[in-house]
Every structure is written in C-alpha cells, then in structure tokens.
Amino acid sequence: MTKFSDLNISETTQNALLRMGFEEATPIQEGTITFGMEGRDVIGQAQTGTGKTAAFGIPIIEKLDPKSTAVQALVIAPTRELAIQVSEEIYKVGFGSRAKVLSVYGGQEIGRQIRALRNNPNIVVGTPGRILDHINRKTLKLDHVQTLVLDEADEMLNMGFIEDINTILASVPAERQTLLFSATMPAPIRKIAETFMKNPEIVKIKSKEMTVENIEQFFVKSHEREKFDVLSRLLNVQQPELAIVFGRTKRRVDELAHALSIRGYIAEGIHGDLTQAKRMSVLRQFKDNKIDVLVATDVAARGLDISGVTHVYNFDIPQDPESYVHRIGRTGRAGKSGVAVTFVTPREMGYLRIVEETTKKRMTPLRPPTSDEALLEQKKNAVDSLVETIEQKNSEDYAGLAAQLLEKHDAKEIVAAALKSLTKSVDETPVSISEERPLPSRRPSSSRSGGYKGGNRSGGGRSQGGRGRSGGGSSAGGSNRRSSGPRDGARRDGASRRSSSNRSER
C-alpha cells in the first residue's frame, strides 16, 4: 500500500490525515491524488466505500488559496446526506489549512445559506437543485472555481438531475479542473465527460471481492431498544476469542464500549475523535488479547491488520454493501473460519436485502437466546472447557491440591464448584444506549419500481450458540448521528429518489 507521505502531499495535510487515522491511501486515492494535484481531469470509476471523498478532497485542499475570498472548488453530490458528509470530511482534510467549507442543500432554510455564502467559503458542497437555485439568485458566484467535482454521477442521473448538472457545468469557468466519480458509466455520464472534460485520466478500481466463503453470516431482526441485551447474550453464548462490534456513530461506539464494560467485558472503543496515540494504544491491547471486545466505527477500523478475530457484530447495519464486506472481512482470515452477526431493525430490512444481492449470499436468520438459554449454554461451555483441560493432560502440578480437596469435600461438589467458577453469570445490569434512528428507506436495485417493504424476512429461525473456536458451533436454544431528511427541495418531487450510500470518511 502507498502511504500518503509518498504522494507529495504537504505536511499540513498529512498531519490532518493522521488526525483522521489515515496513513495509507486506498487504490482510488492513490490513482486520483497524483493526477488531481497535477491539475488533470479525472474520471474515477469506483464503488462506494473506496475512499473517494479524500481522493478529490486532498487535491482541492492542496491547491487552495485560503487568503482568497472566492469559491475555488464546487462539489456536486446527489443527496443532502452525502453533501453534509462530504463537506465534513473535506473540512477535516483541510483542518490545518483553515479551509472554509459550506454545504448547501434543499430542505434547509435558504436565507441561512445565503448568509453563510456571504462569509466567503473557499469550498461549496451541494445538491444540484439548491446549487442551481443559488446560481439563479446570484448568491453563489462561480467565476473563480478552479476545481469542480461530480460525486456519484450515476446516482444523480438516476434521480433526474442531469439537466441541472449540465446547466451548472456551463456556469463554471471553462478553464478549470473537473473530477467525475461514478460507479457505472452509462451513456449520459459519458456524454458529460466528452462535453465538459479535457483528456481525462481514467482511474478504474475493481469492485472488492464480494464473497467471503469461510465466514458464517447471520442476521438478527431486533428493535433498537432490544439490541444491546441480545448482543450481551450472544457474546456470553458464542464466547468469541476476539470480537469487533461495529457502531454507526462515534456516540454509539462510546456508549457501547461503556455499557459492555458495565456488563463485565473488557471493551474499548475507537473512532475518529481519538488521538492517534490513543487509537494505537487500544489496537495494541486488542492485538495482545488484553481487550475482549473492540468497538469501532467504519472509519476507525479501516486498514486494521488484526489476525485472530473470531466474531464480528454489526450492531448497526451499514448503509452500503462494500462497508459490510469490509467489516466482516476483519474475521475469517488466513483460512480460518469466522462468524458475522448483523442486527437489523424492521425498518432496515431493505438494506439487508441489498447486501445479500451484492454478496450473492443469503444471511441465516438467527433467533437470539433468552436469558435462561444463554445461562444454559454457558454451563455447557464450562463443561466443554473443563473436559478440554482434562484431555490436555497438563494439570499434574494441581494433583496435590486436588487430593487435598478430595480429603475434605465430596468429588461431585468439587466439580460443581469448578463448573460454577467457569460459568460467567448472566449480567443484565441496566445500561444506557441512546436510540439511533433507522436508516432512510432503501430499495434493492432489482425492485426499484415498487420498493422493498422488508416484511417478508422472518427474524426467527436458527439459534446460534457454540464456541468461538468452532466458528459458531452447535445450537443453543433458539437467539448518524445523521437521520434521513428531505432531499433536494420540492423541485424534484417527480424524480426517482434513492437514499445515498453512507460514505467512507476517508
């Protein structure tokens, strides 16, 4: 992998990337940043979750003149959620450069945006309709734009924004750099490239391998308020040797790590707000088996090279399939088996269907264990552990102590006490986990016309117990911080609408 320090990036930007926890460039970043900093036009063809935002954000920041009061870069994104996320990430990349970044989108009071535009942002990120609205009002001046970015161009085509995009492109100076990113290249997108771009460099990244054969994949259908207790019981029953729990937001990670600690697990969380030193310290403890459970956001876990992870729990289902594959790929390495369990609320079943379509693999429904079933399974695990120790025949040093105990106590009582000491009692101490809103309604590609209601997948079925060592083993008794919002104003009510995929914070 190429390090950012190898890409001729300023020390200021490198430091900002380190603050974000990034050291190595993804393929789309490696391919795009060099051309971008040379001022070349670029067509980046890559799937979601490949790090596109930093791929165009870094060249923008590197070329920025923070003393100028003009808008120097314009980024067009298909949805409000993506516009906000892209602007936040570019702000982080440009932290040391004091870049002024503003997002504009439908659904937010336009007067507030007009006032913000008067504060002379260097970079504007917005949805097509609202950008065009500001152009028509003459509240957004694009005379000095040096870099224009089309993010998820095929998504904007699907949403009916192609005319708006053509109008915006015609309003930006002809002498500019254009970066276009699209997962697919349908004819209208190719026409944009031919009309508005100059000898673009093509950076095409193959989609990640979407099947992971040696990972057992399960889903648990559960209401938000029930998820943590179910997670606790699964951890007790499955007894993973090393586990990663993925949460959608930083707040979620902090609360989960704290709640797991209350329940008796050795857990630590990592996310983008931690210092690099703290992050590295937590990862070192996890690799050294000093932490049972690592709780992480997608961004914090990116690039982790950790062997021995037996279980991955998606406490929150990710918005895009590639993030799912990236998450579960933390386990099942080097030919070993792994277990992935994904929690899905009833309203998020459409996302499960999309993941299954992409990975070409159905997840097995998992009925979580009740408290009684969890305790019973732990007793079985204690017996297995004791038998395993006996069969290893390496307890000679304890023979004398055993003889002393047998002189004073009944053998049955001694074995029962040993099993009790090996059984982790079911702890259901009340904990506080803030409820997250479900993801915006999402339809799988094969059923866009009618939408996916998510009602035909049962949450019942196979119960998952077993020890981590056996990759799931036998049955055990049956078991964003940004919410969705209005899209690009009312002007596109007739257009086909799909929620954006959650972007990598890269």
Side-chain angles (χ1 to χ4, degrees), residues 143-163:
D143 312 67
H144 295 90
V145 167
Q146 300 168 5
T147 305
L148 182 136
V149 178
L150 294 172
D151 193 13
E152 292 208 353
D154 51 353
E155 183 82 356
M156 290 192 278
L157 170 66
N158 292 338
M159 294 173 69
F161 286 132
I162 202 75
E163 291 179 14

Side-chain angles (χ1 to χ4, degrees), residues 218-233:
F218 302 92
F219 78 91
V220 174
K221 190 174 180 182
S222 172
H223 290 287
E224 176 72 18
R225 64 183 176 274
E226 301 167 341
K227 283 160 66 172
F228 183 76
D229 281 335
V230 172
L231 173 66
S232 295
R233 291 172 199 158

Side-chain angles (χ1 to χ4, degrees), residues 53 55 63 84 109 118 143 162 184-185 204 275 309 359 395 425 447 462:
T53 305
K63 294 190 298 178
I84 293 170
E109 200 266 307
R118 289 176 186 152
D143 312 67
I162 202 75
T184 59
M185 293 300 295
K204 188 172 182 178
T275 64
V309 175
T359 60
S395 307
S425 60
S447 43
R462 173 176 174 179

